[in-house]
């Protein structure tokens, strides 16, 4: 159970494709001008990544190594086409908003990387967990970036939907967040927060190991690879 939980949770923080691995940035910064766009892109990625990992995991033992990459691309392209057709038929506004970034899901490094590194080497259950974790972590970051860019740059939330609300008057909006530099600024701040959190967690772990508590001294000494004080004294006495 712990292994499955770790596989699922990797995509949120530890191996988040955007904030940690820094892959798939082009589409993520291109479509995150509104929450509606970011959420739509995330759901499209979720479908393509999930279905691609399922199919590749099922047939992984039958795919020759020499042609695995072309096969992966064909599978990904098939599910990307399905997403395009569905959005064009039922959500044309989102289809137009995502533009060229929608068909570019085929060559997105996140999908190709997970299919190659994980689905082609693991069973279907773990592949499903990996796809869900990675896609949800990706969508979470897209929505966060979209939230700040839409709020500060457009002064609205959920623009393009019946739930749109105006939060900031036009005179106080910061137009740079509607452009590419604004997207990089928001992304950079979020990535810095994640890295700072990881640094603080590592510092706390190191301090805990260096300064063992009275009640858990043996456990900490074992973790640090050091000898307990009484053992050291006995060794010195024997010498």
């Amino acid at each position: 159970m712990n292994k499955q939980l770790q596989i699922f949770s990797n995509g949120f923080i530890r191996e988040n494709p955007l904030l940690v691995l820094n892959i798939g940035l082009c589409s993520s910064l291109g479509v995150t001008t509104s929450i509606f766009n970011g959420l739509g892109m995330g759901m499209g990625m979720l479908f393509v990544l999930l279905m691609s990992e399922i199919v590749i995991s099922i047939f992984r033992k039958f795919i020759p190594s020499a042609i695995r990459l072309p096969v992966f691309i064909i599978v990904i392209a098939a599910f990307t086409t399905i997403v395009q057709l569905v959005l064009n038929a039922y959500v044309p506004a989102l289809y137009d908003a995502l533009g060229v970034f929608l068909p570019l899901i085929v060559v997105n490094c996140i999908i190709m990387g997970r299919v190659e590194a994980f689905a082609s080497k693991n069973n279907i259950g773990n592949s499903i967990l990996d796809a869900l974790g990675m896609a949800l972590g990706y969508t979470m970051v897209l929505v966060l970036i979209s939230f700040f860019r839409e709020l500060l740059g457009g002064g609205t939330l959920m623009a393009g939907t019946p739930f749109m609300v105006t939060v900031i008057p036009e005179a106080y909006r910061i137009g740079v967040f509607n452009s590419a530099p604004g997207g990089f600024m928001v992304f950079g701040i979020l990535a810095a927060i994640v890295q700072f959190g990881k640094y603080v967690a590592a510092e706390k772990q190191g301090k805990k190991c260096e300064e063992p508590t009275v009640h858990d001294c043996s456990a900490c000494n074992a973790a640090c690879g050091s000898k307990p004080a009484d053992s050291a004294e006995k060794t010195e006495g024997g010498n």
Side-chain angles (χ1 to χ4, degrees):
M1 177 60 88
N2 290 335
K3 179 182 178 181
Q4 280 73 26
L5 182 61
Q6 182 178 359
I7 292 173
F8 176 74
S9 61
N10 275 344
F12 288 92
I13 294 296
R14 191 180 298 109
E15 295 182 14
N16 187 278
L18 294 177
L19 299 181
V20 177
L21 302 182
N22 294 328
I23 56 178
L25 296 181
C26 181
S27 59
S28 65
L29 297 178
V31 304
T32 51
T33 52
S34 72
I35 297 176
F36 180 58
N37 294 352
L39 189 59
M41 185 67 177
M43 292 300 99
M45 283 284 293
L46 172 61
F47 175 79
V48 176
L49 180 57
L50 177 61
M51 298 307 297
S52 298
E53 286 212 41
I54 289 175
V55 171
I56 296 302
S57 179
I58 292 174
F59 295 101
R60 67 186 187 280
K61 295 181 180 179
F62 304 99
I63 301 175
S65 178
I67 61 170
R68 69 185 189 283
L69 291 182
V71 171
F72 294 166
I73 293 175
I74 291 173
V75 172
I76 296 170
F79 291 115
T80 301
T81 302
I82 293 174
V83 172
Q84 286 184 266
L85 294 175
V86 170
L87 290 183
N88 192 22
Y90 297 103
V91 197
L94 180 60
Y95 177 83
D96 294 335
L98 296 180
V100 69
F101 295 107
L102 191 57
L104 285 178
I105 290 178
V106 176
V107 292
N108 193 296
C109 297
I110 300 172
I111 298 180
M112 181 59 72
R114 299 319 299 173
V115 166
E116 166 69 16
F118 197 91
S120 62
K121 300 178 178 65
N122 291 273
N123 60 47
I124 184 173
N126 288 341
S127 297
I128 290 175
L129 291 175
D130 178 74
L132 290 174
M134 288 292 167
L136 291 177
Y138 174 82
T139 303
M140 175 186 69
V141 176
L142 286 188
V143 172
L144 278 175
I145 297 175
S146 301
F147 172 82
F148 290 108
R149 293 186 68 186
E150 181 180 356
L151 177 64
L152 299 176
T156 62
L157 291 177
M158 296 301 294
T161 72
F163 308 102
M164 186 187 80
V165 293
T166 301
V167 181
I168 300 177
E170 186 174 357
Y172 298 97
R173 298 171 187 173
I174 307 174
V176 68
F177 287 101
N178 291 323
S179 60
F184 275 106
M185 288 171 59
V186 176
F187 170 78
I189 292 172
L190 292 176
I193 292 173
V194 169
Q195 293 301 323
F196 179 74
K198 292 174 64 177
Y199 172 78
V200 170
E203 284 290 307
K204 287 184 178 179
Q205 185 66 26
K207 186 176 292 185
K208 180 180 178 181
C209 189
E210 292 174 2
E211 301 177 3
T213 60
V214 175
H215 301 288
D216 196 24
C217 185
S218 59
C220 188
N221 284 326
C224 295
S226 61
K227 296 181 179 179
D230 55 347
S231 299
E233 291 175 359
K234 290 180 181 179
T235 305
E236 292 177 0
N239 292 336

